[in-house]
Amino acid sequence: MSRDIKRIGVLTSGGDAPGMNAALRAVVRKGIFHGLRVYGISRGYEGLIHGELTEMSLGSVADIVLRGGTILKTARSAEMMTPEGQQKALEQLHKHEIDALVVIGGDGSFRGAQTLAKGIQIVGIPGTIDNDIPGTDLTIGFDTAVNTVIDAVGKIRDTATSHERTFVVEVMGRHCGNIALQAGIACGAESILVPEIPFDFDEICEKLKRGHQRGKNHSIIIVSEGAGSAYKIGEELHSRSGFDTRITILGHLQRGGNPSALDAVIAAAMGGKAVEIIMSKETNKMTAYVNQNVVSIPLDVAYGEMPPFNRELYDLANQLSI
Amino acid sequence: MSRDIKRIGVLTSGGDAPGMNAALRAVVRKGIFHGLRVYGISRGYEGLIHGELTEMSLGSVADIVLRGGTILKTARSAEMMTPEGQQKALEQLHKHEIDALVVIGGDGSFRGAQTLAKGIQIVGIPGTIDNDIPGTDLTIGFDTAVNTVIDAVGKIRDTATSHERTFVVEVMGRHCGNIALQAGIACGAESILVPEIPFDFDEICEKLKRGHQRGKNHSIIIVSEGAGSAYKIGEELHSRSGFDTRITILGHLQRGGNPSALDAVIAAAMGGKAVEIIMSKETNKMTAYVNQNVVSIPLDVAYGEMPPFNRELYDLANQLSI
Amino acid sequence: MSRDIKRIGVLTSGGDAPGMNAALRAVVRKGIFHGLRVYGISRGYEGLIHGELTEMSLGSVADIVLRGGTILKTARSAEMMTPEGQQKALEQLHKHEIDALVVIGGDGSFRGAQTLAKGIQIVGIPGTIDNDIPGTDLTIGFDTAVNTVIDAVGKIRDTATSHERTFVVEVMGRHCGNIALQAGIACGAESILVPEIPFDFDEICEKLKRGHQRGKNHSIIIVSEGAGSAYKIGEELHSRSGFDTRITILGHLQRGGNPSALDAVIAAAMGGKAVEIIMSKETNKMTAYVNQNVVSIPLDVAYGEMPPFNRELYDLANQLSI
Amino acid sequence: MSRDIKRIGVLTSGGDAPGMNAALRAVVRKGIFHGLRVYGISRGYEGLIHGELTEMSLGSVADIVLRGGTILKTARSAEMMTPEGQQKALEQLHKHEIDALVVIGGDGSFRGAQTLAKGIQIVGIPGTIDNDIPGTDLTIGFDTAVNTVIDAVGKIRDTATSHERTFVVEVMGRHCGNIALQAGIACGAESILVPEIPFDFDEICEKLKRGHQRGKNHSIIIVSEGAGSAYKIGEELHSRSGFDTRITILGHLQRGGNPSALDAVIAAAMGGKAVEIIMSKETNKMTAYVNQNVVSIPLDVAYGEMPPFNRELYDLANQLSI
C-alpha cells in the first residue's frame, strides 16, 4: 500500500521540563502545516509500548504554549530497557505506520529512541532542566528553572537579611552545577557549591567572617544537590564558624511552572526544526541551540562528554561576593 | 524639662513577615505627619536592650512599602525573657525619652512589650505569616504566604500531572492549619491535613483510589507541619496505597517575598491606626482587622484562645476534591 | 413526570474576572457531591438563548481552579435585554428541565437572571474586578486585579525612579475608585485620583514640589478611569508644575491572570454556598462575603446603593505620601 | 604626581533597563577586587557634567543585583550633545583623576563616551531593552522585557478567550521588531507585526476567519510600535473583518521589573569583562554576548548595521499560528 502522507509520532520522556508543551505544539502545528499527520504518544515509552497513540489536530495543542509540564505526560519505562519492550514499541510504531519519531527528553530518552531506529527516522529534542546534554548550549527548561530558583532565593533572602542568618539552599543538579552557578551569580549568592569544583569549608567560613566584620550578617549559599547534602554542609558551617545556619531544599518546584520566554522560544524553534529534519529525510539527529541558533546535529553528540564547567563565570561569582 | 513633641519607638520582632515594612512606613510617616518624632529600633528587643535606636525621617522609609522582610531587622532575644533584660530595655526607652512603643510581631513579642508598659504606651501590630493571633481576622503576612504556597504548589502540580504522581507538600503552621487550609482550597488540593483535625490514612487512600478509577492519577496533599512529618505521611500513603509519592517541604521561602496587595493595605492601615492609638493616649492596645476594618482592641485579646478552626471551609475542600 | 434529581444551570456573564473558574468548579463539584446534575451554559445569556447547555462532570472542571478567565466564556447579550430574548432563555431552561440557575457576574447579569425567576430558583455570585456590588465586602476578581496593578506599578516605578519622572497610571474603575485606592495605598502612590472625591491640581503640584525640595524627583499618580483622562491629567500637571510626566493606561491586562489566593478561596466558598442555597429551596439570593464569611443575602441588595467610599483609607494614603 | 591605583568611573545612560544594577555591581565589586577605585556618576552625562561623582564601596551595591532600574539614575543630556558640555564632562573626569569610564547604555550613550576618549579609556556595556545594538546577540534588559510582555499577554489572553475577541497588543520597538517577534512566538500570538516586514491586512483577516471557521474566536496580534499604531490597526481589522477588536498599549511597564536570570547573568559577566578590558589597557571597546560568551569587541561595531531580522523565526511563527 502506498501512502503519500508521512506520519510522525511524538513523545515526552524522562523528567518533565517547562517548554515541553511549546515544543510539542510546534511539532504538531508545523507538521500539519506541511501536510504530515502527527500522533501524540502518551506517557513516554510506557505509552508507546501499550499503544497509546492519538492523532493530534491543530486545536489539540491550543493554549498549551505557556503551560508547564507536558500534556502528553511522561514516565520512566523499565520495560523499554529490555529487548522485549523495545520490540513491542517498534511493533506499535509499525502498526500505526509511523515513519518518524520525535523524542522530547534527555539523553536516556534518546538512547531508547535509537533502539527503534530500524526503518523509523529518529529526532531528539533536548528537554531537561539540568542543561546537561552535550552539543547544545541550552536544553528546554533550564532557563525557567534558573528563574524559579532566583525567585525562591529572593524570598529566602528577605528572611536571611531580616534575621541576619546564613541560608544554605539546595538546588537541582546531581552531576552538573549549571543551575547553581547561573542562579548563584544572578542572585548574588555569597557562595556557590557545585559538583565540578571541590570546595573548602574554611574558605567559606573565612568569607562569612569577612562579611561579618564589615557589618554584613546574612549570606546565601547555593548548593547543587551533587555537591553534598545541604544539611551536612549547614551543620559543618555552623560548627566551624558559629554562625546561625538554616537549610532549604527547593526540590520539585524547580521542575514546574510556565516556561520563560527563552524556553518557549527555543522550544518552538526546536519543534519546528525537528519537523524540518524529518522532511529532509535525515535521521538520528538532535536539535541543538548553538550560538543563538537552532540547528541539527548528530544524536550521538548527546552521549559524548559535557563541555568543561564554566570556570570563568564561577571565578567571577567569587570575586563579586567578596 | 518639658517636651512638647512626643517620641515613639517602633520595632519588629519574632519571625519576619511580608508587610512589616509597609506597617513601619505607615508608623513613621503618619507619626511625622502628626508632629511626632519616630525612632526605629534595630533587631527587635535585642537592639532595644543594646540601645540601637535611630530617628527616622520621611525618606528613611521610601521605597520599602512593597519590600519583603523588615529593614529594622528582627531577632529573638533570650535576654528580654529575663527581668534584667527587661530592665535594660526600659532604661533605654527612658534614656531616649520614648513615650510610646509600637511592636510589630506576634503574641510573644507583645508579651515582651507589656513588661515595658510602666510609663510607656504600648501598641501591638500583629505581624506573622501564621494568622494565629486571636482578635484579628488577619495578621500581616498571612495573605502573602498563602499566595506563595499556591504559586509553589502550581509548579509542583505541573510535575504531578505530567508524571501521574502523588505529592505531599509540607507548609508552615505548627499549631494552626490556616495556611494549609486556605492554600489547599485555593489550589484545589486533593487532601488537606491540619493539626486541628485528625485525619485517617484509609480515607485519603480511598480518595486516591477513587480518583485513579476515573483516570486521575495525580494528587496534591497539603500538610501543615504541625499535622505530622510529610516524609512519614508520604511513606505511609505509599505503603498503604501503592501509589508513587514525592515530598516537598516548602520551608523558609514562605516567609519572604513582596507583600500582596491585601497585606500591604492592612499593614499600612494598622500602622496608621497604631499612631492614632498613641495620639489618643491609649495603651496596651493591639490593632486588629475585624470585619474588613482596622480597629483597636485590648492587647490581652492576643493571648486568649484562637477562634475555632474553619470547619465549614475544610469540609467544603473535601467535597470539592471528591 | 416526576424527577428526583434536581438540575441546575450555571453561567458566567459580563466582564470576565479571575476566580470565575474557581466558583464554577465549586458549583459543579459540590452540586455533584450532593447528587445534583449541573449544566454549564456557554457564553452567558447569549448561549442560554441559543441552547448551549452541556452537562458537566467532575473531570470537566479539573485543573481550572487557578486559571484566569472563564471556561464557560462570557458575552454581553443585547437579545437578553428584550422580552423576546428573555422568553427564549426561559424556554431553554424549561426544555432542559433546569430547576435553578447560578449566575456568576455583576449586577447587570443578576437583573437578567431575575427575568427568569418564574419557576426557576435564581442565585447570583458577584464576580467582577470592580468590587462595586453592594452587599458584599468583596467581589470575585477584585483582589487579583489590585495585585496586578501593584505589580505593574512596581515595574513603572523602576523607570520613574531611574529617570526622575512623574508617571500617571490609569487603572480600571468608571464609577468606583476601589482599585485605585487599594492599589495606591499598597504601592505607596504619591497621589490617588478617584471618581468619588474631587481633586485639586494645585494640591498635587504642591506635593510634587515638596517632594522635589527634599530631593525626591519621581512620583506615581494612580488615576481611576472615572476620575478623568490620564492624558489630560498628565498634561495639566506638566503645564502647571513643569515636571516631566509620562502616561500609562493599564487597560485590559487588569482583568486577566490567575486568581489570587483570596479570590480563589472566596470564589470556592461562594460556589459552595450557591449550591447550599439551591438545596435549601431559597431563591433570588446572592452569595456575599461579609465580615470574612460567605453568606446568603437577598439579590435585591445588589441593586442598592454602594457603601460610602473608604474616606479614612484615602486620607491615610494622603498622610503617608506627604 | 604618580598614582598607583587606577580610578574608574561608571554611569548609566539612556533608557533604563533591568539588569543595569547587576552590571553596575559587577563593575564596582570586580574593580575593588582588583584594587581599583570606582566612582559612580549619577544621572548619566548630566551628572557627569555637574560633577556628581561618588566613590563606591563594596556595600554600596549590596542587594541591588535583582533590582530593576538603575540606582545611579539615568537621564538624557542635551548639554552632552554640545562641544561645551563634552568639555565640561572631560574636565570633571580629569578633576576626579578618572582613568577609565564605563558606560552602561545604548549606542547613543556610547557616542557620547567617545567624545571623552582623550586620555580616558572607554568601555561600553550594551544596556537597552530593545536588543538593537549590532555586535552583541543580547543587550541587557531584553530578556526581561520579553518575559514582561508574555506575562501581560497571558493576562490579556484570558479575557480574549473568555470574550472571544481579537486583541491588538502594542509592544516596544520603534525600529526593531525583536521584542514583538520573541514575545509573539513565546506566547503563541496569532499574528506578529514588525517594522522590518510589511504586512497585509487581508492576510491577517484571512487568518482570523480561518480560525473562526474551526471554532476559534479569539486572537492576539502583537504589534511593534514601529509597525504602526495599534489603534489604527485595530480599527482597520475591525472594519475589514467585522471582528470585535480591543487595544492594549503595554507602554512603560516593559522597561521595569527585576531582571530575569539571563539578564542578571550577562549583566554580571559584562560588568566583569569591562573591568578586565580596563585592566588590560584597552579602550573604545564594548562588551558583547556572542555565542553564549561575553567578549570584548570594538565599540565602533555598535554603530554599524543591525544583523538581518530573524526571518526564519518569523516564518515559523506564522506556520505555528495557522
Side-chain angles (χ1 to χ4, degrees):
Chain A
M1 189 194 91
S2 96
R3 280 187 305 116
D4 286 353
I5 298 167
K6 211 172 189 123
R7 296 179 179 207
I8 65 177
V10 54
L11 58 80
T12 50
S13 172
D16 64 316
M20 281 184 162
N21 281 328
L24 169 65
R25 171 179 176 269
V27 170
V28 171
R29 292 263 174 102
K30 191 173 165 81
I32 294 175
F33 177 84
H34 289 297
L36 310 180
R37 295 178 66 176
V38 185
Y39 289 77
I41 300 163
S42 296
R43 301 192 302 120
Y45 293 113
E46 202 63 18
L48 175 56
I49 288 170
H50 295 90
E52 301 173 15
L53 292 84
T54 322
E55 183 161 3
M56 303 195 78
S57 65
L58 291 176
S60 71
V61 290
D63 278 336
I64 66 165
V65 66
L66 287 178
R67 210 180 297 169
T70 158
I71 61 164
L72 286 182
K73 303 206 165 118
T74 179
R76 301 191 195 269
S77 171
E79 203 171 352
M80 190 63 191
M81 305 290 194
T82 67
E84 294 74 27
Q86 293 159 12
Q87 186 55 33
K88 284 190 203 165
L90 198 55
E91 282 164 15
Q92 288 290 349
L93 292 172
H94 288 321
K95 183 175 146 193
H96 289 83
E97 302 184 5
I98 302 296
D99 305 293
L101 179 65
V102 177
V103 172
I104 307 170
D107 55 340
S109 307
F110 297 165
R111 280 183 207 279
Q114 288 198 296
T115 68
L116 309 172
K118 299 136 200 161
I120 312 273
Q121 283 172 272
I122 299 295
V123 183
I125 295 179
T128 160
I129 64 163
D130 292 323
N131 206 24
D132 60 355
I133 299 184
T136 184
D137 290 336
L138 285 176
T139 55
I140 296 170
F142 174 69
D143 184 59
T144 308
V146 177
N147 276 291
T148 298
V149 170
I150 66 170
D151 185 60
V153 173
K155 294 186 205 301
I156 291 167
R157 191 179 280 281
D158 287 337
T159 296
T161 309
S162 299
H163 285 270
E164 304 191 302
R165 280 180 190 148
T166 297
F167 272 83
V168 180
V169 182
E170 187 181 299
V171 302
M172 285 192 171
R174 266 188 213 135
H175 309 291
C176 170
N178 275 338
I179 291 179
L181 175 61
Q182 300 275 330
I185 203 160
C187 68
E190 276 70 20
S191 295
I192 301 170
L193 311 187
V194 294
E196 291 90 342
I197 297 183
F199 61 90
D200 178 352
F201 278 113
D202 289 332
E203 255 178 48
I204 303 171
C205 291
E206 205 50 54
K207 190 185 277 189
L208 291 178
K209 282 174 198 162
R210 271 203 314 273
H212 179 67
Q213 277 159 9
R214 59 170 216 268
K216 178 191 176 181
N217 290 313
H218 65 273
S219 287
I220 300 284
I221 298 173
I222 308 249
V223 182
S224 290
E225 55 186 335
S229 151
Y231 284 102
K232 287 194 187 148
I233 289 168
E235 275 170 36
E236 190 69 26
L237 289 178
H238 175 64
S239 76
R240 288 188 188 218
S241 71
F243 286 105
D244 203 11
T245 55
R246 290 288 186 282
I247 312 301
T248 296
I249 314 281
L250 290 186
H252 291 91
L253 65 90
Q254 297 166 79
R255 288 207 175 284
N258 297 346
S260 68
L262 182 60
D263 273 330
V265 170
I266 62 174
M270 285 185 174
K273 177 62 73 179
V275 172
E276 285 175 11
I277 291 170
I278 289 167
M279 289 175 55
S280 64
K281 302 195 190 301
E282 293 178 89
T283 188
N284 285 320
K285 296 289 181 184
M286 176 175 96
T287 63
Y289 187 67
V290 179
N291 301 344
Q292 310 285 118
N293 281 302
V294 169
V295 297
S296 163
I297 63 171
L299 197 48
D300 291 343
V301 177
Y303 317 135
E305 247 180 78
M306 278 290 288
F309 184 72
N310 190 338
R311 180 75 200 219
E312 201 178 342
L313 200 59
Y314 178 86
D315 289 340
L316 177 63
N318 276 328
Q319 294 170 0
L320 299 188
S321 59
I322 43 171
Chain B
M1 189 192 91
S2 93
R3 280 187 303 119
D4 286 352
I5 298 167
K6 215 175 185 117
R7 295 179 182 208
I8 65 177
V10 55
L11 59 79
T12 50
S13 173
D16 63 317
M20 281 184 162
N21 281 328
L24 170 66
R25 171 178 175 271
V27 170
V28 171
R29 292 263 173 103
K30 190 173 165 81
I32 294 174
F33 177 84
H34 289 297
L36 310 179
R37 296 178 66 176
V38 186
Y39 288 77
I41 300 164
S42 296
R43 301 190 303 119
Y45 294 113
E46 202 63 19
L48 175 57
I49 288 169
H50 295 92
E52 301 172 15
L53 293 83
T54 320
E55 184 163 1
M56 302 194 79
S57 65
L58 291 175
S60 71
V61 290
D63 278 336
I64 66 165
V65 66
L66 287 178
R67 210 180 296 170
T70 158
I71 62 164
L72 287 182
K73 301 205 167 121
T74 180
R76 301 191 194 268
S77 171
E79 204 172 352
M80 188 64 189
M81 304 290 194
T82 68
E84 295 73 28
Q86 293 160 11
Q87 186 54 33
K88 283 190 204 165
L90 198 56
E91 282 163 14
Q92 289 290 350
L93 291 172
H94 288 321
K95 183 175 147 194
H96 289 83
E97 302 183 6
I98 302 294
D99 305 293
L101 179 66
V102 178
V103 172
I104 307 170
D107 56 340
S109 308
F110 297 166
R111 280 184 207 276
Q114 287 197 297
T115 68
L116 307 172
K118 300 137 200 161
I120 312 272
Q121 283 173 271
I122 299 295
V123 184
I125 295 179
T128 159
I129 63 164
D130 290 324
N131 204 26
D132 60 354
I133 299 184
T136 185
D137 290 337
L138 284 177
T139 55
I140 297 171
F142 174 70
D143 184 60
T144 308
V146 176
N147 276 292
T148 298
V149 171
I150 66 170
D151 185 59
V153 173
K155 294 186 204 300
I156 290 167
R157 192 179 279 282
D158 287 338
T159 297
T161 309
S162 300
H163 285 270
E164 305 191 300
R165 279 179 192 150
T166 297
F167 272 83
V168 180
V169 182
E170 187 182 298
V171 303
M172 285 192 170
R174 265 186 212 137
H175 309 291
C176 171
N178 275 337
I179 291 179
L181 175 61
Q182 300 275 331
I185 202 160
C187 69
E190 276 70 19
S191 297
I192 302 171
L193 311 187
V194 295
E196 291 90 343
I197 298 183
F199 59 90
D200 178 351
F201 278 114
D202 288 333
E203 256 177 48
I204 304 171
C205 291
E206 206 49 54
K207 190 185 277 189
L208 292 178
K209 281 173 197 162
R210 272 203 313 273
H212 179 66
Q213 276 158 10
R214 59 169 215 268
K216 179 192 176 180
N217 291 312
H218 64 274
S219 288
I220 300 285
I221 297 172
I222 308 248
V223 182
S224 290
E225 55 185 335
S229 151
Y231 284 103
K232 286 194 187 147
I233 290 168
E235 274 170 36
E236 190 69 26
L237 288 177
H238 175 65
S239 76
R240 288 187 190 219
S241 71
F243 286 106
D244 203 11
T245 56
R246 289 288 186 282
I247 312 302
T248 296
I249 315 282
L250 290 186
H252 291 90
L253 65 89
Q254 296 167 81
R255 287 208 174 284
N258 298 346
S260 68
L262 181 59
D263 273 329
V265 170
I266 63 174
M270 285 185 174
K273 178 62 75 178
V275 172
E276 284 175 12
I277 291 170
I278 289 167
M279 289 174 55
S280 64
K281 302 196 189 302
E282 292 179 271
T283 186
N284 284 320
K285 296 288 181 184
M286 176 176 96
T287 63
Y289 187 67
V290 179
N291 301 345
Q292 309 285 119
N293 281 303
V294 168
V295 297
S296 163
I297 63 171
L299 197 49
D300 290 342
V301 176
Y303 316 135
E305 245 181 79
M306 278 289 289
F309 185 72
N310 191 337
R311 180 74 200 220
E312 201 178 344
L313 201 57
Y314 178 86
D315 289 340
L316 177 64
N318 275 327
Q319 294 170 0
L320 300 188
S321 59
I322 45 171
Chain C
M1 191 193 91
S2 96
R3 280 188 303 117
D4 286 351
I5 298 167
K6 214 172 186 123
R7 296 180 181 206
I8 65 178
V10 54
L11 59 80
T12 50
S13 172
D16 63 318
M20 281 185 161
N21 281 327
L24 169 66
R25 172 179 176 269
V27 171
V28 172
R29 291 263 173 104
K30 191 174 165 81
I32 294 174
F33 177 84
H34 290 297
L36 310 179
R37 295 178 66 175
V38 185
Y39 289 76
I41 300 163
S42 296
R43 301 191 302 118
Y45 294 113
E46 202 63 19
L48 175 57
I49 288 169
H50 295 92
E52 301 172 16
L53 292 83
T54 322
E55 184 163 3
M56 303 195 77
S57 65
L58 291 175
S60 71
V61 290
D63 279 336
I64 66 166
V65 67
L66 287 178
R67 211 181 295 169
T70 157
I71 62 164
L72 286 183
K73 302 205 165 120
T74 180
R76 301 189 195 270
S77 171
E79 205 172 351
M80 189 64 190
M81 304 289 195
T82 68
E84 295 73 29
Q86 293 159 12
Q87 186 56 33
K88 283 190 204 166
L90 198 56
E91 282 163 15
Q92 289 290 349
L93 291 172
H94 289 320
K95 182 175 148 194
H96 290 82
E97 303 183 5
I98 302 294
D99 305 294
L101 178 66
V102 178
V103 172
I104 307 171
D107 56 339
S109 307
F110 297 165
R111 280 183 208 276
Q114 287 198 296
T115 67
L116 307 172
K118 300 137 198 161
I120 312 272
Q121 284 171 271
I122 299 294
V123 184
I125 295 179
T128 159
I129 63 163
D130 291 323
N131 205 26
D132 60 355
I133 299 183
T136 185
D137 291 336
L138 285 176
T139 54
I140 296 171
F142 173 69
D143 184 60
T144 308
V146 177
N147 276 292
T148 298
V149 171
I150 66 170
D151 185 59
V153 173
K155 294 185 205 299
I156 291 168
R157 192 179 278 282
D158 287 336
T159 296
T161 309
S162 300
H163 285 269
E164 304 190 301
R165 279 181 192 148
T166 297
F167 272 82
V168 179
V169 182
E170 186 181 299
V171 302
M172 285 192 170
R174 264 186 214 138
H175 309 291
C176 171
N178 276 336
I179 290 179
L181 175 61
Q182 300 275 330
I185 202 161
C187 69
E190 276 69 20
S191 297
I192 302 171
L193 311 186
V194 295
E196 290 90 344
I197 298 183
F199 60 89
D200 178 352
F201 277 114
D202 289 332
E203 256 177 48
I204 303 172
C205 291
E206 206 50 55
K207 190 185 278 189
L208 291 177
K209 282 174 197 162
R210 273 203 313 274
H212 179 67
Q213 276 158 11
R214 58 171 217 267
K216 178 193 177 181
N217 291 313
H218 65 274
S219 287
I220 301 285
I221 297 173
I222 308 249
V223 182
S224 290
E225 55 186 336
S229 151
Y231 284 104
K232 287 194 186 147
I233 289 168
E235 274 170 36
E236 190 69 28
L237 289 177
H238 175 65
S239 76
R240 287 187 190 219
S241 71
F243 286 105
D244 203 12
T245 55
R246 289 288 186 282
I247 313 302
T248 296
I249 314 282
L250 290 186
H252 291 91
L253 65 89
Q254 296 167 82
R255 287 207 175 285
N258 298 345
S260 68
L262 181 60
D263 273 330
V265 170
I266 63 174
M270 285 186 173
K273 178 61 75 181
V275 172
E276 285 175 11
I277 292 170
I278 290 167
M279 288 174 56
S280 64
K281 303 195 190 301
E282 294 179 88
T283 187
N284 284 319
K285 297 288 182 185
M286 176 176 96
T287 62
Y289 187 67
V290 178
N291 301 345
Q292 309 285 119
N293 281 302
V294 169
V295 297
S296 164
I297 63 172
L299 196 48
D300 290 343
V301 177
Y303 315 135
E305 246 181 78
M306 276 290 288
F309 185 71
N310 191 337
R311 181 75 200 219
E312 201 178 343
L313 200 58
Y314 178 86
D315 289 339
L316 178 64
N318 276 328
Q319 295 170 359
L320 300 189
S321 59
I322 43 171
Chain D
M1 190 193 90
S2 96
R3 280 187 304 118
D4 284 354
I5 298 168
K6 212 171 189 120
R7 296 178 179 209
I8 65 178
V10 54
L11 60 79
T12 50
S13 172
D16 64 316
M20 281 185 162
N21 280 328
L24 169 66
R25 172 179 175 267
V27 170
V28 171
R29 291 264 174 101
K30 191 172 165 82
I32 294 174
F33 177 84
H34 289 297
L36 309 180
R37 296 178 67 175
V38 185
Y39 288 78
I41 301 163
S42 296
R43 302 191 300 121
Y45 293 114
E46 201 64 19
L48 176 57
I49 288 170
H50 295 91
E52 301 173 14
L53 293 84
T54 321
E55 184 161 2
M56 302 195 78
S57 65
L58 291 176
S60 70
V61 290
D63 279 335
I64 65 165
V65 66
L66 286 179
R67 210 180 297 168
T70 157
I71 62 164
L72 287 182
K73 303 205 165 119
T74 180
R76 300 191 195 269
S77 172
E79 205 172 350
M80 189 63 191
M81 305 288 195
T82 68
E84 295 72 28
Q86 293 159 12
Q87 186 55 33
K88 284 189 202 165
L90 198 56
E91 282 164 14
Q92 288 290 351
L93 291 172
H94 288 321
K95 182 174 148 194
H96 289 83
E97 302 184 7
I98 301 295
D99 305 292
L101 179 65
V102 177
V103 172
I104 307 170
D107 57 339
S109 307
F110 297 165
R111 280 184 207 276
Q114 288 198 297
T115 68
L116 308 171
K118 299 136 199 161
I120 312 272
Q121 283 172 273
I122 300 295
V123 184
I125 296 179
T128 159
I129 64 163
D130 291 324
N131 205 26
D132 60 355
I133 299 183
T136 185
D137 289 336
L138 285 176
T139 55
I140 297 171
F142 173 69
D143 184 60
T144 308
V146 177
N147 276 291
T148 297
V149 171
I150 65 170
D151 185 59
V153 173
K155 294 186 206 298
I156 291 167
R157 192 179 279 281
D158 287 337
T159 296
T161 309
S162 299
H163 285 269
E164 304 190 301
R165 278 180 192 148
T166 296
F167 272 83
V168 179
V169 183
E170 186 182 299
V171 302
M172 284 192 170
R174 267 190 210 134
H175 309 291
C176 170
N178 276 336
I179 290 179
L181 174 61
Q182 300 275 331
I185 202 161
C187 68
E190 275 71 19
S191 296
I192 301 170
L193 310 187
V194 295
E196 291 91 342
I197 297 184
F199 60 90
D200 178 352
F201 279 113
D202 289 332
E203 255 177 49
I204 303 171
C205 292
E206 205 49 55
K207 191 185 276 190
L208 291 177
K209 283 174 197 162
R210 271 202 316 272
H212 179 66
Q213 277 158 9
R214 59 171 217 268
K216 179 192 177 182
N217 290 313
H218 64 274
S219 287
I220 300 285
I221 297 173
I222 307 249
V223 181
S224 291
E225 54 186 336
S229 151
Y231 285 103
K232 287 196 186 145
I233 289 168
E235 275 170 35
E236 190 69 27
L237 289 177
H238 174 65
S239 76
R240 288 187 189 219
S241 71
F243 286 106
D244 203 13
T245 56
R246 290 288 186 282
I247 313 301
T248 296
I249 314 281
L250 289 186
H252 290 91
L253 65 89
Q254 297 167 80
R255 288 207 173 283
N258 298 345
S260 68
L262 182 60
D263 273 330
V265 169
I266 64 174
M270 285 184 174
K273 177 62 74 179
V275 172
E276 284 175 11
I277 291 171
I278 289 168
M279 290 174 56
S280 65
K281 303 194 189 302
E282 292 179 90
T283 187
N284 285 319
K285 296 289 181 183
M286 175 176 96
T287 63
Y289 187 67
V290 179
N291 301 345
Q292 309 285 118
N293 281 302
V294 169
V295 297
S296 164
I297 64 171
L299 197 48
D300 291 342
V301 176
Y303 317 135
E305 246 180 78
M306 277 290 288
F309 184 71
N310 191 337
R311 180 76 200 219
E312 200 179 344
L313 200 58
Y314 178 86
D315 290 340
L316 177 63
N318 276 327
Q319 294 170 0
L320 300 188
S321 59
I322 43 171

